[in-house]
Amino acid sequence: MKSLITKKDDLLNNFFWVYILAVLMLWIKTYITQATQFELGVEGFLQQFLLMLNPLGSAMLFLGFSFLFSGKRKYTSLVVVYALMSILLYSNVVYYRFFSDFITLPTIIQTQNFGDLGGSILSLLQPYDILFFVDVIVMFYLRFSKKVQKETNCFGYKKAIAIIALALVISIVNLGLAEISRPQLLTRGFDRNYIVKYLGMYNYTIYDSVETLKASSQRVLADSSDITEVVNYTKSTYANPNEEYFGTAQGMNVIYLHLESFQKFLIDYKLNGEEVTPFLNSLAKDKNTMYFDNFFHQTAQGKTSDAEFMLENSLFGLPTGSAYITKAQNTYQAAPSILKDYGYTSAVFHGNNGSFWNRDEIYKSFGYDKFFDGSYYDTSSSEDRAEYGLLDKPFFEQSESLLSSLPQPFYTKFITVGNHYPYKMNQNLVTIDKADTGDASVDNYFQTARYADEAIEQVFNQLKELGLYDNTMIVLYGDHYGISGNHNEAMEQVIGKEITPYESANLQRVPLLIHVPGMQGGTNHTYGGQIDLLPTVLHLLGIDTQNYIQFGSDLLSEKHNEVVPFRNGDFVSPTIYSINEKFYDNKTGLLLEDSQLEMAKSIKNEVDYKMGLSDRVVNGDLLRFYTPTGYTPVDPSQYNYKNENVKSN
């Protein structure tokens, strides 16, 4: 026994074996984490093997750089790198629990939002999370314990390079096998799930950083010739307006009601026999309301900001991060600036910090005249505050005087926050019981949705009292999903069916209701997404969009394109769904027959091309090279949203 203990101590006194122990621990931890904490869709022996293999090359490579140091510094560098890789892994676990996505370099840059996220982050933590750092504690013990003698000899650069070379060989083999399973993995990387599944969390981080830097360089390298292909494409895909609806709302005010985290399944849903959203249900049946029941959110990591970005510009959000954060200084031809040429005043109302999602900067580039952020509202009462700003009912009450101050016609947007994850609400304010699935987020969701529904009814009543109702187009839209795929087990109880990949795509529907006094309404089954809102609204106002660069098309047009792309390259349509590189028949929910795959792949190629063009416009800031006839470009320096009645600290 004594000899075994001595042998163990000898091993730990040798830095090479400490390195081997670190590699083994990180490899095993990362593999278990990738297999259990992320829904990667791993299928077949090769994908399972790659999921097990991919952490090994990364662990060997990054930890292997410690051999380049001498003395105790090699122990210190080993522990530091080990701790950083563990923090990165765990951070992605927590991020994935809500967003079903992975952290990117642009999301790390979005630190200005973190101050408002405290409660949401805490709700994502689990008691077993301490297990993610047990091995880190072991590594710190090996570094600082006096019981473990530190080898001070230099390992030798040749041996160090040999270890790093071996790690690179393993990673190259990994990449080669991944390309066999999924060709063009790195050149068609719309979906981060694929990168993590095939290459692992750490290689994904490198890939993401490279792609982010490439995107950042596009603006510098772009010139006026780059816009030509984009103009030709948007003109060729333009859908001319429906004569029956074109100009129906001409000269009217426009009010967008941004429904936070609102999914379409809530409409007409009954919980224990009681309607969850009685007002929205009645509004969907109003004779002057067009209700779109096949309308999908198309957001990615930017979530709420992506939804706003699309409805204002008819450009897709970025594949990583938020354009609101990284592209705020770009040139845009957004709805507020287009309507300014038609005499419209524009404003956004939001009872939260103006800097959240960098709104106080990008709204200037959009041409918004006013931004009434949290500084314009009384948020002193704790009962009136939500985690992300003022609760919806007091928010709308306090917005009444601000709205009345605007010259007509106006174009406005009200951003609600009451129905926001983690869906906690003062029980004195609720008017419906929780669900009983055992999942707190899902159970609470119905109470905050009911509160939002009541607040929307309040807005309609206020507009009638102000005399604005009969001359205002009101557009209500859900910004993104409320319940992520991590809650599928509870959601299966809610919707009464198994959530397959096909059904998960169906759950990405969000409400869209367009209320125009005098317009013939009804339920519209057209497939569309948030990218289509701008041309639809402009055509209702009697403004043709043919000369603008917009990637959506009028939902009411007979030539509307009913293929709805998602940011990860998937799509839905009335006939075919593309989900995780598989194609489904929309009528049966089953995989397509081989004879139908050619058409599906053709649509997929078109979706990829469309997304790529939009990204070129945003990353290259290409709109600076193109000004539509009759359009007045925006000068962001003209706008100042500071509330002069609030004293600076």
Side-chain angles (χ1 to χ4, degrees), residues 467-479:
L468 296 172
Y469 180 79
D470 292 329
N471 190 41
T472 299
M473 171 167 59
I474 307 172
V475 183
L476 305 92
Y477 72 99
D479 65 342

Side-chain angles (χ1 to χ4, degrees), residues 159-219:
K159 294 180 180 178
I161 291 173
I163 289 175
I164 293 172
L166 177 60
L168 288 172
V169 168
I170 293 173
S171 296
I172 291 170
V173 170
N174 183 174
L175 178 60
L177 292 174
E179 282 288 335
I180 293 173
S181 180
R182 208 285 186 180
Q184 297 180 303
L185 174 66
L186 298 181
T187 56
R188 299 176 63 189
F190 284 114
D191 193 334
R192 285 173 285 279
N193 264 21
Y194 293 139
I195 308 297
V196 174
K197 176 168 65 174
Y198 288 112
L199 301 184
M201 174 56 61
Y202 308 115
N203 287 328
Y204 153 75
T205 302
I206 296 173
Y207 167 81
D208 167 66
S209 300
V210 171
E211 289 298 303
T212 299
L213 293 174
K214 282 170 58 180
S216 299
S217 68
Q218 285 185 33
R219 189 184 192 282

Side-chain angles (χ1 to χ4, degrees), residues 232-435:
N232 291 338
Y233 177 81
T234 55
K235 284 187 178 296
S236 69
T237 57
Y238 164 77
N240 57 305
N242 187 322
E243 292 183 3
E244 181 181 351
Y245 292 99
F246 186 73
T248 300
Q250 188 166 0
M252 288 188 179
N253 302 312
V254 179
I255 293 179
Y256 270 107
L257 296 178
H258 177 111
L259 307 180
E260 171 66 39
S261 304
F262 226 89
Q263 287 178 246
K264 182 258 179 183
F265 80 86
L266 289 167
I267 304 297
D268 288 329
Y269 186 85
K270 290 185 178 181
L271 181 65
N272 300 323
E274 185 177 357
E275 289 181 302
V276 176
T277 58
F279 178 72
L280 287 176
N281 297 345
S282 65
L283 183 63
K285 299 175 178 65
D286 185 279
K287 65 178 182 179
N288 297 138
T289 299
M290 185 72 74
Y291 168 50
F292 295 84
D293 61 357
N294 285 314
F295 184 76
F296 293 79
H297 86 87
Q298 297 167 286
T299 66
Q301 289 188 322
K303 290 298 183 286
T304 292
S305 67
D306 280 356
E308 287 192 67
F309 188 75
M310 282 184 279
L311 76 91
E312 301 288 14
N313 298 284
S314 196
L315 297 170
F316 289 101
L318 295 174
T320 62
S322 168
Y324 264 45
I325 303 292
T326 60
K327 307 297 178 183
Q329 307 307 319
N330 275 15
T331 297
Y332 295 104
Q333 293 154 15
S337 61
I338 293 172
L339 290 172
K340 192 183 298 293
D341 289 329
Y342 293 84
Y344 277 76
T345 303
S346 56
V348 179
F349 302 78
H350 186 37
N352 195 9
N353 298 330
S355 61
F356 197 82
W357 284 125
N358 203 33
R359 288 185 174 103
D360 54 354
E361 292 301 323
I362 200 167
Y363 284 164
K364 297 174 183 177
S365 297
F366 290 172
Y368 267 110
D369 296 310
K370 304 284 185 180
F371 177 27
F372 300 112
D373 67 357
S375 67
Y376 289 84
Y377 294 86
D378 179 5
T379 59
S380 58
S381 173
S382 59
E383 292 185 358
D384 289 345
R385 291 198 306 270
E387 199 165 329
Y388 294 85
L390 197 62
L391 276 170
D392 301 343
K393 291 181 181 180
F395 166 60
F396 286 129
E397 288 172 4
Q398 294 186 41
S399 297
E400 188 172 302
S401 60
L402 298 172
L403 180 64
S404 298
S405 70
L406 297 178
Q408 298 186 54
F410 53 69
Y411 171 86
T412 58
K413 177 170 57 182
F414 291 81
I415 303 174
T416 64
V417 299
N419 188 47
H420 199 295
Y421 183 85
Y423 312 113
K424 294 179 180 178
M425 178 157 282
N426 186 331
Q427 292 301 295
N428 294 327
L429 301 176
V430 303
T431 57
I432 191 172
D433 290 336
K434 297 180 180 181

Side-chain angles (χ1 to χ4, degrees), residues 1-2 48 279 620:
M1 177 64 72
K2 185 175 180 180
Q48 290 285 358
F279 178 72

Side-chain angles (χ1 to χ4, degrees), residues 572-614:
V572 295
S573 76
T575 56
I576 298 172
Y577 279 22
S578 171
I579 308 165
N580 297 331
E581 298 291 303
K582 295 181 180 179
F583 300 105
Y584 296 82
D585 186 315
N586 191 10
K587 292 184 179 178
T588 65
L590 301 177
L591 291 171
L592 287 183
E593 302 288 339
D594 290 344
S595 60
Q596 300 170 295
L597 291 180
E598 185 175 349
M599 178 184 293
K601 291 178 180 178
S602 175
I603 298 173
K604 179 70 168 64
N605 289 336
E606 169 67 15
V607 165
D608 290 348
Y609 179 66
K610 186 175 186 176
M611 287 283 189
L613 279 184
S614 178

